[in-house]
Amino acid sequence: MTDPQLTHLRADGSAHMVDVSAKPVTARRAVAQAVLVTRPEVVAAVLTGELPKGEAVGTARIAGIMAAKQTSTLIPLCHPLPITKVAVDITGADDRLTVLATVATNGVTGVEMEALTAATVAALTLYDMIKAVDKLAEITGVKVLEKQGGKSGDWVRS
Amino acid sequence: MTDPQLTHLRADGSAHMVDVSAKPVTARRAVAQAVLVTRPEVVAAVLTGELPKGEAVGTARIAGIMAAKQTSTLIPLCHPLPITKVAVDITGADDRLTVLATVATNGVTGVEMEALTAATVAALTLYDMIKAVDKLAEITGVKVLEKQGGKSGDWVRS
Amino acid sequence: MTDPQLTHLRADGSAHMVDVSAKPVTARRAVAQAVLVTRPEVVAAVLTGELPKGEAVGTARIAGIMAAKQTSTLIPLCHPLPITKVAVDITGADDRLTVLATVATNGVTGVEMEALTAATVAALTLYDMIKAVDKLAEITGVKVLEKQGGKSGDWVRS
Amino acid sequence: MTDPQLTHLRADGSAHMVDVSAKPVTARRAVAQAVLVTRPEVVAAVLTGELPKGEAVGTARIAGIMAAKQTSTLIPLCHPLPITKVAVDITGADDRLTVLATVATNGVTGVEMEALTAATVAALTLYDMIKAVDKLAEITGVKVLEKQGGKSGDWVRS
Amino acid sequence: MTDPQLTHLRADGSAHMVDVSAKPVTARRAVAQAVLVTRPEVVAAVLTGELPKGEAVGTARIAGIMAAKQTSTLIPLCHPLPITKVAVDITGADDRLTVLATVATNGVTGVEMEALTAATVAALTLYDMIKAVDKLAEITGVKVLEKQGGKSGDWVRS
Amino acid sequence: MTDPQLTHLRADGSAHMVDVSAKPVTARRAVAQAVLVTRPEVVAAVLTGELPKGEAVGTARIAGIMAAKQTSTLIPLCHPLPITKVAVDITGADDRLTVLATVATNGVTGVEMEALTAATVAALTLYDMIKAVDKLAEITGVKVLEKQGGKSGDWVRS
């Protein structure tokens, strides 16, 4: 079996932002997830953010949407992309809050990193709001769930 | 049992950046972790970043250090803090890379969010570099491991 | 009567960030306002953001809070300040939405610009959300309402 | 009459960055205004910025141009756009300074928010420079004056 | 001989971001250089960054790559461009470290400023790392070496 | 002679932001320079920026002042500092424009990097404005001229 080659490293091992000049612009989309594990009563307190008296969920959603636009600023070797859509959905059940981020672009590279960044920053924002009531909270399950467009085509995590 | 109160929400449920004007400046420190789960041969490819021919680990480290300084820009209700130290350590074993981020400040609030942001962005940067060879990779175990300073005193996750 | 001297311009007329090295750190606070004038039914549509089915108000609030932290990045001659509190309140009546932003710091300069920036960006965010239904909307009444701390002491707009 | 629908809110009231993936790229342009009301002698002091000994006007102009490029960072639900032109014109008469910002792009959405952001930040920068000599100054008349391109076609405020 | 006209200034001398709306998108590329002059033993200490025990060179490289993406944020009249490639190469000999930055885009303006910004920030990052051991270090030779694409065609500095 | 040790690298060669938590806050100041070499008639065209019909010098000055505030965002291992003063002076003679940047803080580390960043970005902004009339321009002489405060005391380049 061949060793995996990291495309972000050149032959001499140095990092670079790979040349995507010749890649075609196509419609791309990715969905990613992050899960915040806490206690059931904390989940309940956060979800009142969907009721008249709470903005916790909306605050995390906006943080995720804004973070998607900062992806190429945060991740050193990411290309800047003209993002055309971001949606962040947050649901809760039992002891966990699940963040789903969907990002689309018409671009030369995929938007998995944008979706992962949106989901992660939304989860960190939820963490920030609950850390005073649960210092044992943990973010887990940060992963890409599906992706469309580009050379590798459509893909759904099985 | 009383319901947990989210301090970032006011009585009417609206979000705010809480007033810390009267809190004393103290030396604070936090350590947080993020774990990237992938395949053993991908871990090996990344860790060559510590050998002459690879900068994967160093790139993720710098991304984490720079992200710590952007925490209050990313997390809406975080206070800006004068960070006095950031260290990001990345180790690998079996199928996973573990990021440990240590942040210190002399400030009025703690630096857990800064440590979590550093660890998470370093892990996302590693993810970015391996996503072409492992689209099933996942970030997990994002949590605070220890914290010193402030009213609540020293704490180590047990 | 003497002509007013602009402190941000030196004797030769060139702009500079004035030296505040010798000024004492004191507790400071400012409240500023911005008013978005639109149509009554648009105000009603926005204010449902305080009901279960709408996040318009919360989104503008978060935008204002985050903008307060970007003030010294946006306004060329502003000094960076360690903001200790930001609150953004949005109310509606008749044909207008009123944004009130309150900012506090322990710093060497006042936080009027931070409060004005928060109020203005919150109002621009509301504008962004209603522009498809009212292209004639207008932001007006952007001003400081009160200010505490610093050499000039407490002041309330009469 | 139907209630106005805010396009930035989904059916459940949550905010999102709307999907513009399928919209065509067209040449777009917008002009927006912001007016700073102060005292005549302060207007005179600022306008010497167009004379050899003053950079007040130029400083505000550059702040506005740079802010136009930060619009999608400041306004949560704005799409990033490849801005192709920004001009900021500042004139004074009587007790007021008028900022006109013109922005163009070849993009899928309009540039009203970019023009409004440029005009507003330029006006805030003027405010910052005069606040020591007029704490009663006020920004008013922030509105779009004209807009070209896109599905809704050309429009001039009457 | 005619006086040179600065295109970034309008007829009245005011600065603007020039209108490039009508310019065609073409493949463009630029290479720029910056040279850090220090002492031979400092060059040796930095270059161990290419050995297992040092990350100085990699840190400067990442700083340069990330700075290229911030060019239009830093340089007031620069247009934002969709960068498609950044490579930063750092070599040392005798008493100097030479940074070469290569940037590509498919855009309406050239990427000389992006390449210069990448080279300069990489050199400043090297300076930051050596300033404790050489306060006399100096950056020199910041210039464009070659450029391809656009109306003016290919050019190599002779 | 002992080899110079780079303080930004730990014993294992990895980069970190060094811990300055225990360092005292003192008044600090630094002056740095950057020189743009071009042709005499281009220098003349730029310097009309100090006349009624040109804003070239003022634009570069503002770019330098704003860049000083971005130093810790650009240079990975720089600590964020509360800058209390920035002045950028630009003079021309013969074939060159000289930028002098002065930065002050009350902080735990020096402001050489802030002064160098201000001088360099101002010079790059001048470069941007003249590149259409002189593609052979070059930035040189980027160095610290003097520095006050901190453990190492006052220092003037001889």
Side-chain angles (χ1 to χ4, degrees):
Chain A
M1 196 186 95
T2 328
D3 277 356
Q5 295 299 314
L6 303 188
T7 52
H8 292 66
L9 302 187
R10 296 182 289 186
D12 68 354
S14 62
H16 67 146
M17 190 193 296
V18 299
D19 194 348
V20 296
S21 304
K23 294 182 71 177
V25 170
T26 63
R28 290 152 183 278
R29 182 175 166 277
V31 182
Q33 166 196 275
V35 178
L36 176 65
V37 182
T38 174
R39 301 195 313 272
E41 66 270 27
V42 176
V43 170
V46 167
L47 288 186
T48 59
E50 298 192 302
L51 300 179
K53 284 178 57 59
E55 295 181 342
V57 166
T59 299
R61 193 192 322 278
I62 294 303
I65 290 172
M66 294 179 85
K69 295 190 267 190
Q70 294 303 318
T71 305
S72 69
T73 305
L74 290 169
I75 311 296
L77 306 176
C78 257
H79 296 83
L81 282 177
I83 292 177
T84 52
K85 171 208 168 102
V86 187
V88 173
D89 290 287
I90 299 171
T91 52
D94 302 329
D95 64 350
R96 59 196 59 206
L97 292 153
T98 299
V99 182
L100 283 187
T102 306
V103 179
T105 192
N106 295 311
V108 295
T109 65
V111 283
E112 300 99 301
M113 292 315 300
E114 283 74 10
L116 286 165
T117 300
T120 306
V121 171
L124 287 169
T125 299
L126 290 169
Y127 183 102
D128 182 40
M129 289 188 281
I130 69 162
K131 69 179 193 293
V133 295
D134 181 9
K135 63 172 59 162
L136 294 174
E138 179 173 345
I139 296 169
T140 186
V142 179
K143 58 188 171 188
V144 176
L145 297 186
E146 52 181 286
K147 126 184 183 47
Q148 284 96 37
K151 202 175 61 180
S152 60
D154 295 357
W155 175 83
V156 177
R157 196 181 193 102
S158 55
Chain B
M1 196 185 97
T2 329
D3 277 357
Q5 297 299 314
L6 303 188
T7 53
H8 291 65
L9 301 188
R10 296 182 289 187
D12 68 353
S14 63
H16 67 145
M17 191 194 294
V18 300
D19 194 347
V20 296
S21 304
K23 294 182 70 177
V25 170
T26 61
R28 289 153 183 279
R29 182 176 167 275
V31 182
Q33 164 197 275
V35 178
L36 176 66
V37 182
T38 174
R39 302 194 314 271
E41 65 270 26
V42 175
V43 170
V46 167
L47 289 185
T48 59
E50 298 192 302
L51 300 179
K53 284 178 59 58
E55 294 181 342
V57 166
T59 298
R61 191 191 324 277
I62 294 302
I65 290 172
M66 295 179 85
K69 295 189 268 188
Q70 294 304 316
T71 304
S72 69
T73 305
L74 290 169
I75 311 295
L77 305 176
C78 257
H79 297 83
L81 283 178
I83 292 177
T84 52
K85 170 208 167 101
V86 187
V88 173
D89 290 286
I90 298 170
T91 52
D94 302 329
D95 64 350
R96 59 197 59 206
L97 291 152
T98 299
V99 181
L100 284 187
T102 305
V103 178
T105 193
N106 294 312
V108 295
T109 65
V111 282
E112 300 99 298
M113 293 315 301
E114 284 72 10
L116 286 164
T117 301
T120 306
V121 171
L124 286 170
T125 300
L126 290 169
Y127 184 102
D128 182 41
M129 289 189 282
I130 70 162
K131 70 180 191 294
V133 296
D134 181 9
K135 62 171 60 163
L136 294 174
E138 180 173 342
I139 296 170
T140 186
V142 179
K143 57 187 172 190
V144 176
L145 297 186
E146 53 181 285
K147 141 180 173 42
Q148 284 95 37
K151 201 176 60 179
S152 61
D154 295 357
W155 175 81
V156 178
R157 195 182 193 101
S158 54
Chain C
M1 196 183 96
T2 327
D3 277 356
Q5 296 299 314
L6 304 187
T7 52
H8 292 66
L9 301 187
R10 296 183 289 186
D12 68 353
S14 63
H16 68 146
M17 190 195 294
V18 299
D19 194 347
V20 296
S21 304
K23 294 182 70 178
V25 170
T26 62
R28 290 152 183 278
R29 182 175 166 278
V31 182
Q33 165 197 276
V35 178
L36 177 64
V37 182
T38 173
R39 302 195 312 272
E41 66 269 27
V42 176
V43 170
V46 167
L47 289 185
T48 59
E50 298 193 302
L51 300 179
K53 283 178 60 56
E55 294 182 341
V57 166
T59 298
R61 193 192 322 279
I62 294 302
I65 290 172
M66 294 179 85
K69 296 189 267 189
Q70 294 303 316
T71 305
S72 69
T73 305
L74 290 169
I75 311 295
L77 306 177
C78 257
H79 296 82
L81 282 177
I83 293 177
T84 51
K85 170 208 167 101
V86 187
V88 173
D89 290 287
I90 299 171
T91 53
D94 302 329
D95 65 349
R96 58 197 58 207
L97 292 153
T98 299
V99 181
L100 284 187
T102 305
V103 179
T105 193
N106 295 311
V108 294
T109 65
V111 282
E112 300 100 297
M113 293 315 300
E114 283 74 10
L116 286 165
T117 300
T120 307
V121 171
L124 286 170
T125 300
L126 290 169
Y127 184 103
D128 182 40
M129 289 189 281
I130 69 162
K131 70 180 192 292
V133 295
D134 181 9
K135 62 171 60 160
L136 294 174
E138 179 173 343
I139 296 169
T140 186
V142 179
K143 57 187 171 191
V144 176
L145 297 187
E146 52 181 286
K147 138 180 175 41
Q148 285 96 37
K151 202 175 58 179
S152 60
D154 295 358
W155 175 82
V156 177
R157 197 182 193 101
S158 53
Chain D
M1 196 187 93
T2 329
D3 277 357
Q5 296 299 313
L6 303 188
T7 53
H8 292 66
L9 301 188
R10 296 182 290 186
D12 67 354
S14 63
H16 67 145
M17 190 195 294
V18 299
D19 194 348
V20 296
S21 304
K23 294 183 70 178
V25 170
T26 62
R28 289 152 183 279
R29 182 176 166 276
V31 182
Q33 167 197 273
V35 179
L36 177 65
V37 182
T38 174
R39 302 194 314 271
E41 66 270 26
V42 176
V43 170
V46 167
L47 288 185
T48 58
E50 298 192 304
L51 299 179
K53 284 180 56 59
E55 294 181 342
V57 166
T59 298
R61 192 191 323 277
I62 294 302
I65 291 172
M66 294 179 85
K69 295 188 268 188
Q70 294 303 318
T71 304
S72 69
T73 305
L74 291 169
I75 312 296
L77 306 176
C78 257
H79 297 82
L81 282 178
I83 292 176
T84 52
K85 171 206 168 102
V86 187
V88 173
D89 290 288
I90 299 170
T91 53
D94 303 330
D95 64 349
R96 58 197 58 207
L97 292 153
T98 299
V99 181
L100 283 187
T102 306
V103 179
T105 193
N106 294 312
V108 295
T109 65
V111 283
E112 301 99 300
M113 293 315 301
E114 284 73 10
L116 286 164
T117 300
T120 306
V121 171
L124 287 170
T125 300
L126 290 169
Y127 184 102
D128 182 40
M129 289 188 282
I130 70 163
K131 69 179 193 294
V133 295
D134 181 9
K135 61 171 59 161
L136 293 174
E138 179 172 344
I139 296 169
T140 186
V142 179
K143 58 188 172 189
V144 176
L145 298 186
E146 52 181 285
K147 131 182 178 46
Q148 285 95 38
K151 201 175 61 179
S152 60
D154 295 357
W155 176 80
V156 177
R157 195 181 194 103
S158 53
Chain E
M1 197 185 94
T2 329
D3 276 357
Q5 297 298 313
L6 303 188
T7 52
H8 292 65
L9 301 187
R10 296 183 289 186
D12 68 355
S14 63
H16 66 145
M17 190 194 295
V18 299
D19 194 347
V20 297
S21 305
K23 294 183 69 177
V25 170
T26 62
R28 290 153 182 279
R29 182 176 167 276
V31 182
Q33 165 198 274
V35 179
L36 177 65
V37 182
T38 175
R39 303 194 313 271
E41 66 270 27
V42 176
V43 170
V46 167
L47 290 185
T48 59
E50 298 193 300
L51 301 179
K53 285 178 58 58
E55 294 181 343
V57 166
T59 298
R61 192 192 324 276
I62 294 303
I65 290 172
M66 293 179 87
K69 295 188 269 188
Q70 294 303 318
T71 304
S72 69
T73 305
L74 291 169
I75 311 295
L77 306 176
C78 257
H79 297 80
L81 282 177
I83 292 177
T84 52
K85 171 207 167 102
V86 187
V88 173
D89 290 287
I90 298 170
T91 52
D94 302 329
D95 64 350
R96 58 198 58 206
L97 292 152
T98 299
V99 181
L100 284 186
T102 305
V103 179
T105 192
N106 295 312
V108 296
T109 65
V111 283
E112 300 99 300
M113 293 315 301
E114 283 74 9
L116 285 165
T117 300
T120 306
V121 171
L124 287 169
T125 299
L126 290 169
Y127 184 102
D128 182 41
M129 289 188 281
I130 70 163
K131 69 180 192 294
V133 296
D134 182 10
K135 62 171 59 162
L136 294 173
E138 179 172 343
I139 296 170
T140 187
V142 179
K143 58 188 171 188
V144 176
L145 297 186
E146 52 181 286
K147 133 183 178 43
Q148 285 95 37
K151 201 175 62 179
S152 61
D154 295 357
W155 174 82
V156 178
R157 196 181 192 102
S158 55
Chain F
M1 195 184 96
T2 327
D3 277 356
Q5 296 298 313
L6 304 187
T7 52
H8 292 64
L9 302 188
R10 296 182 290 186
D12 68 354
S14 63
H16 67 145
M17 190 194 294
V18 298
D19 194 348
V20 296
S21 304
K23 293 184 71 178
V25 170
T26 62
R28 290 151 183 279
R29 182 175 167 276
V31 182
Q33 165 197 275
V35 179
L36 176 65
V37 182
T38 174
R39 303 195 312 271
E41 66 271 26
V42 176
V43 170
V46 167
L47 289 185
T48 60
E50 298 193 302
L51 300 180
K53 285 177 59 55
E55 294 181 342
V57 165
T59 298
R61 192 191 325 276
I62 294 302
I65 290 172
M66 294 179 85
K69 295 189 268 189
Q70 294 304 316
T71 304
S72 69
T73 304
L74 290 169
I75 312 296
L77 305 176
C78 257
H79 297 81
L81 281 178
I83 292 178
T84 52
K85 171 209 167 99
V86 187
V88 173
D89 291 287
I90 299 171
T91 52
D94 302 329
D95 64 350
R96 58 197 59 206
L97 292 153
T98 299
V99 181
L100 283 187
T102 306
V103 179
T105 193
N106 295 312
V108 295
T109 65
V111 283
E112 300 100 298
M113 293 315 299
E114 283 74 10
L116 286 165
T117 301
T120 306
V121 171
L124 287 170
T125 299
L126 290 169
Y127 184 102
D128 182 40
M129 289 188 282
I130 69 162
K131 69 180 192 294
V133 296
D134 181 9
K135 62 171 59 162
L136 294 174
E138 180 172 342
I139 296 170
T140 187
V142 179
K143 57 187 172 190
V144 176
L145 297 186
E146 52 182 285
K147 141 181 173 42
Q148 284 95 36
K151 201 175 60 180
S152 61
D154 295 358
W155 174 81
V156 177
R157 196 181 193 101
S158 54

